[in-house]
């Protein structure tokens, strides 16, 4: 009886609550149940994606290691014929560049370059991901391009292949569109984690750069996939860090201003790298179609000729980076190495061959850091007792300046080198590098490449069914201060949710949009152009000007 009385009283109290309150509670409960159900299924699927991406990354790394051994053996054999030996590395890299570019242009143009901008376009629903084409072309084309000696890295291709694995598994399991994008993101993070033996970097890269979505579902899926992929990679390649770096002690606090100077210099050179890379890509893009393959082959021949004189200049530059991290390079040779690697990276990427800029830009950052460290050591050895420490920090600072992802840069260097005593110098240099590039209004390289791809590609692909998209309105974006009715969205493109981080609401025609607001829209197939309007409206004007 007492139980019945309590239930009746509870029912009476609930009946006194406003209907909208009951609806709100029911909505929150239903949302909690939906999220719990989604987590229950997506985490095992993310683990499966991570395992498959880790296997692909491991095979890719092993194939490139074998290609490097073959290329170095070819160079050693060629040097036994001093008069004519240079022909062999030239022809080897020429054929590698020509075949990889031809394969990419013929079967999967979206597999050119690092592939990260294309993956971001897919996650924003501006492009489609045809994993059946991208995966084999990226795998074999990357082996041929990077293995032949082009100054490109394997990390960007591994990220795109990881995303392609996520897409393949999601289509095989026939999951929802939102879950498919989450698995693609998880696969991308798994690819980076396996490429660098850096699981936390893979997670942070997804959250900070690829997806820019800190929802628990995305966080959990990316974390699990990155961890599983890293385990697979370590089983196959060992648990050692990617770079063998001595255990340097903590630098004196008096050296922090020099680390700040390193960040400033890295920022300036990072802007120079971004703009020169975009210029190089545009120059190659303006070539008539019949000249594309010959020019790519000639570029490869030049790389091979330089490799004849200095094998350190070829490939990803891993050996050169390790020499810099150990402080084994003379100050007088660093500018020459930097200029050559800078030009070769730009030219190699401009051909459109499958290969990334992750590793090449880390090499350049290490050279910048070592140069500043050696100069400071010569001027004040007490403040800078170990110049090579600056090479470690320089990699993160240069990565931050180019990609504009400081958390990823810091975490990546810590995991790759296993040297955690440099945390404070890393924070100082990366902050300064970030500040310089923001002051110069330079667009991050992957955003710039995405912007260029969307402009050259014209309209985004036509939708086959309605999609739900989310955007963050950036500072100084065209949408800031406008009412929903004034956005110019086509019929069939409707805003269905607004959020400021504290509350969510259904927007109306007179709802005024503000900076840093999250908006969710439903876009019908006949309103595909609304995707580009939303993207342009949420993007900061200063980035477009940059």
């Amino acid at each position: 009886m007492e139980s019945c009385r309590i239930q009746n009283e509870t029912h009476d109290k609930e009946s006194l609550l406003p209907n909208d309150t009951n609806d709100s509670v029911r909505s929150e409960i239903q949302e909690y149940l939906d999220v719990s159900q989604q987590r229950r299924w997506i985490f095992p699927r993310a683990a499966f994606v991570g395992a498959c991406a880790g296997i692909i990354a491991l095979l890719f790394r092993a194939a490139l290691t074998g290609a490097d051994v073959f290329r170095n053996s070819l160079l050693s054999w060629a040097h036994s014929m001093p008069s004519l030996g240079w022909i062999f590395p030239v022809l080897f890299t020429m054929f590698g560049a020509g075949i990889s570019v031809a394969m990419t242009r013929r079967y999967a143009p979206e597999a050119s370059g690092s592939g990260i901008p294309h993956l971001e376009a897919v996650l924003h629903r501006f492009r489609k991901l045809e994993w059946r084409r991208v995966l084999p072309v990226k795998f074999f084309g990357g082996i041929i391009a990077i293995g032949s000696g082009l100054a490109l890295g394997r990390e960007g291709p591994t990220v795109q292949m990881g995303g392609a694995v996520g897409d393949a598994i999601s289509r095989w399991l026939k999951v929802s569109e939102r879950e498919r994008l989450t698995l693609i993101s998880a696969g991308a993070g798994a690819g980076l984690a396996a490429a660098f033996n850096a699981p936390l970097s893979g997670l942070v890269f997804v959250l900070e750069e690829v997806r820019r979505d800190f929802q628990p579902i995305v966080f959990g899926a990316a974390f699990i996939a990155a961890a599983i992929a890293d385990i697979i990679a370590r089983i196959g390649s060992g648990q050692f860090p990617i770079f063998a770096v001595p255990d340097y002690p903590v630098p004196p606090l008096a050296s922090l201003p020099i680390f700040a100077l390193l960040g400033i210099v890295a920022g300036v050179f990072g802007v120079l790298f971004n703009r020169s890379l975009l210029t190089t890509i545009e120059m190659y893009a303006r070539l008539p179609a019949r000249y594309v393959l010959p020019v790519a082959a000639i570029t490869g021949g030049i790389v091979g000729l330089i490799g004849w004189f200095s094998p350190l200049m070829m490939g990803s530059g891993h050996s050169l980076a390790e020499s810099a991290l150990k402080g084994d390079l003379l100050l007088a040779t660093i500018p020459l190495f930097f200029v050559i690697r800078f030009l070769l990276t730009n030219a190699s990427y401009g051909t459109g061959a499958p290969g990334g800029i992750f590793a090449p830009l880390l090499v350049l950052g290490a050279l910048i850091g070592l140069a500043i460290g050696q100069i400071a050591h010569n001027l004040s050895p007490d403040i800078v007792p170990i110049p090579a420490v600056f090479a470690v920090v320089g990699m993160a600072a240069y990565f931050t300046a180019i990609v504009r992802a400081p958390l990823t840069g810091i975490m990546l260097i810590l995991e790759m080198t296993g040297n955690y005593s440099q945390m404070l110098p890393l924070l100082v240099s990366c902050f300064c590098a970030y500040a310089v590039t923001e002051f110069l209004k330079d667009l991050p390289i992957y955003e710039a490449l995405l912007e260029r791809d969307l402009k050259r590609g014209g309209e985004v692909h036509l939708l086959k069914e309605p999609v739900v998209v989310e955007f963050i309105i950036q500072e100084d974006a065209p949408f800031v201060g406008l009412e929903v009715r004034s956005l110019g969205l086509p019929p069939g493109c409707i805003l269905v949710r607004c959020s400021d981080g504290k509350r969510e609401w259904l927007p109306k025609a007179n709802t005024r949009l503000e900076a840093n607001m999250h908006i969710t829209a439903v876009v019908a197939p006949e309103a595909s152009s609304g995707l580009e309007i939303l993207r342009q409206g949420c993007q900061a004007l200063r980035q477009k000007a940059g």
Side-chain angles (χ1 to χ4, degrees), residues 72 243 311-312 314 316-325 329 363:
N72 291 332
F243 291 109
L312 288 175
M314 302 184 73
S316 64
H318 184 274
S319 299
L320 180 60
E322 282 207 332
S323 298
L325 293 173
L329 301 178
V363 175

Side-chain angles (χ1 to χ4, degrees), residues 468-493:
V468 179
V469 292
E470 297 179 357
F471 291 91
I472 301 176
I473 302 176
Q474 302 179 9
E475 298 281 352
D476 194 31
F479 279 0
V480 174
L482 294 182
E483 294 182 346
V484 172
R485 70 182 66 170
S486 305
L487 300 182
L489 299 177
C493 181

Side-chain angles (χ1 to χ4, degrees), residues 303-369:
V303 174
L305 182 60
I306 294 175
W308 162 258
F309 295 100
S310 177
L312 288 175
M313 297 294 103
M314 302 184 73
S316 64
H318 184 274
S319 299
L320 180 60
E322 282 207 332
S323 298
L325 293 173
K326 295 177 182 177
D328 294 339
L329 301 178
L330 297 176
L331 178 60
T333 63
I334 293 177
L336 179 62
F337 285 156
F338 181 86
V339 171
I340 294 176
R341 283 292 306 186
F342 188 96
L343 296 176
L344 291 185
T345 301
N346 278 267
S348 299
Y349 196 90
T351 61
I357 56 174
F358 250 98
L361 67 86
L362 293 179
V363 175
L364 295 175
L367 293 174
I368 293 174

Side-chain angles (χ1 to χ4, degrees), residues 60-239:
F60 191 60
R61 182 195 295 191
L64 287 177
T65 301
D68 287 344
V69 172
F70 177 79
R71 187 181 67 245
N72 291 332
S73 299
L74 176 66
L75 286 170
S76 299
W77 173 77
H79 275 95
S80 64
M81 297 176 287
S83 58
L84 298 176
W86 61 271
I87 296 177
F88 296 100
V90 169
L91 293 178
F92 181 68
T93 313
M94 281 184 67
F95 281 112
I99 292 172
S100 61
V101 172
M103 180 188 304
T104 304
R105 290 174 60 86
R106 175 68 174 83
Y107 297 105
E110 63 270 32
S112 65
S114 71
I116 294 177
H118 172 256
L119 205 58
E120 293 181 355
V122 170
L123 293 174
H124 287 91
R125 304 178 193 255
F126 296 126
R127 291 287 184 266
K128 294 185 293 185
L129 178 55
E130 300 289 347
W131 69 269
R132 289 181 178 86
R133 296 187 306 168
V134 170
L135 195 55
V137 171
K138 201 72 173 185
F139 188 89
F140 294 106
I143 293 172
I144 295 172
I146 304 171
S148 66
L150 291 180
L152 300 171
R154 59 181 167 85
E155 295 75 20
T158 310
V159 170
Q160 190 181 24
M161 287 190 292
V165 168
D167 182 60
I169 293 175
S170 66
R171 294 186 184 278
W172 177 54
L173 296 175
K174 298 180 180 180
V175 302
S176 65
E177 182 67 14
R178 182 180 292 271
E179 188 171 338
R180 184 180 76 90
L181 297 179
T182 300
L183 292 178
I184 291 175
S185 303
L192 185 65
F196 280 122
N197 284 3
L200 293 180
S201 300
L203 168 64
V204 175
F205 186 67
V206 170
L207 302 179
E208 189 179 27
E209 173 64 30
V210 176
R211 188 69 184 267
R212 300 184 180 180
D213 188 346
F214 286 80
Q215 293 181 7
I217 293 292
V218 177
F219 180 94
F223 177 76
I224 291 174
I228 296 297
D230 182 56
I231 292 173
I232 298 294
R234 288 175 185 267
I235 291 174
S237 61
Q239 298 206 57

Side-chain angles (χ1 to χ4, degrees), residues 229-275:
D230 182 56
I231 292 173
I232 298 294
R234 288 175 185 267
I235 291 174
S237 61
Q239 298 206 57
F240 301 102
I242 292 296
F243 291 109
V245 181
D247 189 14
Y248 294 126
V250 179
L253 288 177
S255 64
L256 289 182
I258 305 177
F259 283 106
L261 175 63
L262 169 59
I264 294 173
V265 174
V268 173
F269 278 95
V271 173
L272 176 63
F273 179 87
N274 286 357
R275 296 181 179 178

